[in-house]
Amino acid sequence: MGIRAKSKLKSILDDKGISIRKCAEMSGVNFETVRKMYNDESKQYQRDTLGALCKALGCEINDLLEIIEEPNEK
């Protein structure tokens, strides 16, 4: 089993009715970075990005990310 961090940004933004573009504007994070995190396509997470998103959205890092186990790919 592989273990990885999964982004929960999509559910946060959808619950708050905030678009990817609006989130990027609010946080000062690049649109493409927010889009990748929204779609859970990010390969790594920068501390500054996580901090900016948490501040803009009024949440904690554990609200943005969760640890999941994935089956091994063959």
Side-chain angles (χ1 to χ4, degrees):
M1 293 264 185
I3 297 174
R4 73 174 185 94
K6 179 185 184 319
S7 171
K8 298 191 289 184
L9 184 61
K10 180 181 186 338
S11 64
I12 293 171
L13 295 187
D14 290 354
D15 288 348
K16 292 179 180 274
I18 299 172
S19 69
I20 296 170
R21 187 162 307 284
K22 181 66 176 174
C23 178
E25 290 170 4
M26 290 168 52
S27 64
V29 174
N30 177 278
F31 172 82
E32 188 63 17
T33 301
V34 176
R35 187 197 67 75
K36 283 182 179 179
M37 193 165 173
Y38 180 90
N39 291 313
D40 193 32
E41 297 171 351
S42 299
K43 300 293 184 209
Q44 61 186 7
Y45 301 98
Q46 300 296 323
R47 291 182 299 186
D48 293 349
T49 298
L50 294 174
L53 289 171
C54 286
K55 184 174 181 182
L57 297 171
C59 67
E60 300 292 328
I61 289 175
N62 62 328
D63 297 323
L64 285 178
L65 299 174
E66 68 179 329
I67 302 300
I68 62 166
E69 289 190 26
E70 294 182 321
N72 289 334
E73 295 182 26
K74 296 186 178 187

